[in-house]
Structure formats: structure tokens, C-alpha cells
Amino acid sequence: MNINPILKRELKVQSRGYTLLGLICGIDSALFLISVLGSLAVISRMRQDYHADYGSLLMIFVLVSMFAFLLILLICPSLTAGSIAGERRSKTLDLLLATRLSPVSIVTGKLLSAFSVVQILIITSVPALMVPLMYGGAGLPEILLTAVGLSCAAFMLLCMGLFVSSAVRSPQRATALSYVLLIGLCAGTVLPGLLFAPFYGGGHQNAAALALLLNPIVTMASVIFRAVSGAELIALIYGRLGLSLSEGMRNSYILIALLLELLLGFMFLFASVVNISPKKRKQKINSAFAIEKNEAPM
């Protein structure tokens, strides 16, 4: 079985230190602490009131899920933002391109190594998500849907970090630009609704409403709150923004939003491959030589 050499090297580097282990243990401990303490508090109150309050247990599930998502939102861009830019700074990117490795292999190897870290984090956090649901209120489908939503969001964010890393030379600048792009993606999809909704007529779909499909926070909140309120959260968010969606789009909102996250991730991935391809790098070098030649004194 042939394993991507970049993936093999990255996994070997990750296994040498305790950073990954400490990160996973720290995040899982925090999730378990919130889940167990919250569930015990709700169960203790139920015993005192003699009332089965499954809604509070579901809210503990929502709290743990959103906390896990926010951590992934903060971690993912930094995992890939400095990958290709770091190779460029250490002047090893040209050596990799000089080998038999294609730009696709380099980019996918970097992506898979970071995605494996996130998947370990998601899989190990599933038991913490299951603690509030041991007493009812939701089941395995909601947990699996949450894990799928976290994976799709992580894939898009990791590909976005790779794209910025392939276009910038400094790892620090690539990390900063990745978070700027993340903020722009989250806030930029909400601003059209806030600014232009008064100019749209009510009762129909518009471009500002469709732009919100690309917002990872709204998508993940819709996935998580599905166990609590079904599709009511989508109607609430769009209603507060003065936007509207058709009934068919609202019913299949989560599926469409997750597919768009995957599509956007693959677009970032394709752009990353193009940015480090030898043909484009050769064009940049030729253009740089041409500029120097034109600026040289006669």
C-alpha cells in the first residue's frame, strides 16, 4: 500500500512530540467536564422536582457541541496556514517540486495530515456528546450528524488555510490572513442581509439569503440545534435578518450548506495546487526577471 510521502513525513513529525497529545487531552477533558457536570446538575434538579426535563439535557448537548465547533474554528486555520509557507521559507518547497511528487500530492499530503488531527479530535469528543443524551431527548442520528457537520467545516477551513499558505511566503502572515479570511467569511455573509434586506420585497428568496448558506457558524448551529428545534432555527435566523427562503430550501438547508462547504473546500484545494504548480512559479520567475531587466540602467 502506497502512502503519500508528505503525509507519512508529517505524521512522523507529529508523533515525535507531545503537542498533539496534549491538545487532544486538554480539549477532550474540557468537553467531558462541561458535559458531565452539566448533566449531573440537570439530573439532580430533576430528582428534586420530580420532573423529567429533557430539554435541559439537550441544551447541555448543544453547549458541548458548539464549544467543540468553536475550538475547531480556532484551531483549523493555524494547522495548515503555515504548512506550504513554512516549506517555502525553509527553501524546501522547490526541492519537493523537483522530486517525482506532483503539486497535488504535496497539497493533499499536507491536508490529510492536518485533517487526521482534527478527525482524532472529533472522534474522541463523541463520548462527551453522548453523556447528556444517555437519559433521552436525542439519539445516535443527531450525534452522527453533528460529527459530519464538524468534519465538513474542518475540511473547508483546512483547505482555506492551505490556499492562503500557498499564496503567501511568511507563515505568520499566512496565519493572520487565514483568520482574516475566516472572519470575512463569517461576517461577510451576514452583512448583505443586514444592509440590503430593506430593499428586497418580502416573501421571496434573494441573493442575500443564499449568501448565508456559506456561513459556517450558521450551518453548524443549524446542525446542532436540529435535535432541539428542528428547522425552526433557520426560520428564526432568516427572520431576524429580514430574509426569506423557500420551503424546499429551508427543509434541505443543512444538506445544501454542507455540500457547499465541501465544494468551497475543494475550490480552495484546487487553487492551492495551481499556486504551487511549477508552470505558474516559472511564469512568476520570468516576469520578475523581465521587470528587473526593464528597470536595469541602459
Side-chain angles (χ1 to χ4, degrees):
M1 182 178 179
N2 294 328
I3 302 177
N4 189 305
I6 301 297
L7 174 61
K8 187 176 180 180
R9 187 192 69 174
E10 294 291 331
L11 293 178
K12 186 179 294 185
V13 171
Q14 292 173 2
S15 63
R16 289 175 180 173
Y18 297 97
T19 304
L20 176 59
L21 180 61
L23 177 67
I24 294 175
C25 291
I27 292 177
D28 287 342
S29 299
L31 293 177
F32 267 104
L33 189 64
I34 296 173
S35 181
V36 172
L37 292 181
S39 300
L40 290 177
V42 172
I43 294 168
S44 177
R45 188 178 62 187
M46 289 168 61
R47 288 177 177 175
Q48 294 176 359
D49 299 341
Y50 298 100
H51 176 68
D53 187 8
Y54 294 112
S56 298
L57 290 173
L58 286 175
M59 291 310 298
I60 298 296
F61 168 75
V62 170
L63 178 63
V64 175
S65 302
M66 286 302 297
F67 184 66
F69 169 69
L70 291 177
L71 289 175
I72 288 176
L73 200 68
L74 294 174
I75 291 173
C76 282
S78 63
L79 289 178
T80 54
S83 56
I84 298 178
E87 298 283 356
R88 186 180 286 114
R89 185 183 63 176
S90 59
K91 298 181 180 180
T92 55
L93 180 60
D94 291 330
L95 294 177
L96 291 176
L97 292 172
T99 62
R100 295 182 179 180
L101 292 176
S102 63
V104 177
S105 299
I106 297 173
V107 172
T108 53
K110 296 287 187 181
L111 174 64
L112 290 176
S113 63
F115 191 66
S116 63
V117 174
V118 180
Q119 281 302 111
I120 293 174
L121 183 59
I122 293 174
I123 293 173
T124 54
S125 65
V126 168
L129 299 177
M130 297 178 66
V131 172
L133 306 182
M134 292 174 62
Y135 298 92
L140 186 60
E142 284 75 16
I143 296 176
L144 292 178
L145 182 60
T146 302
V148 170
L150 291 173
S151 300
C152 292
F155 176 77
M156 182 190 69
L157 296 174
L158 291 173
C159 292
M160 183 182 70
L162 270 176
F163 165 70
V164 177
S165 183
S166 66
V168 178
R169 291 184 173 274
S170 171
Q172 293 80 11
R173 185 178 298 177
T175 303
L177 287 178
S178 296
Y179 285 106
V180 170
L181 188 59
L182 174 60
I183 295 173
L185 183 63
C186 295
T189 52
V190 177
L191 287 178
L194 294 174
L195 297 177
F196 301 109
F199 301 99
Y200 288 106
H204 70 280
Q205 242 170 223
N206 48 56
L210 297 178
L212 205 60
L213 285 164
L214 298 174
N215 192 307
I217 297 179
V218 175
T219 300
M220 198 62 218
S222 305
V223 171
I224 295 172
F225 276 88
R226 184 177 182 271
V228 180
S229 60
E232 295 180 5
L233 181 67
I234 301 298
L236 178 63
I237 294 175
Y238 275 75
R240 291 292 179 87
L241 294 175
L243 303 174
S244 60
L245 280 177
S246 64
E247 184 177 356
M249 182 71 73
R250 189 166 56 250
N251 293 333
S252 56
Y253 183 91
I254 292 177
L255 177 61
I256 296 173
L258 293 179
L259 290 177
L260 284 176
E261 283 185 348
L262 293 177
L263 177 61
L264 191 59
F266 280 114
M267 291 174 62
F268 281 130
L269 196 65
F270 176 76
S272 303
V273 173
V274 172
N275 283 339
I276 68 169
S277 61
K279 183 181 294 185
K280 184 172 182 178
R281 290 173 62 82
K282 185 177 179 180
Q283 292 176 355
K284 289 183 179 180
I285 294 174
N286 291 337
S287 62
F289 277 122
I291 293 174
E292 291 179 359
K293 184 177 180 180
N294 292 332
E295 292 179 353
M298 300 299 293

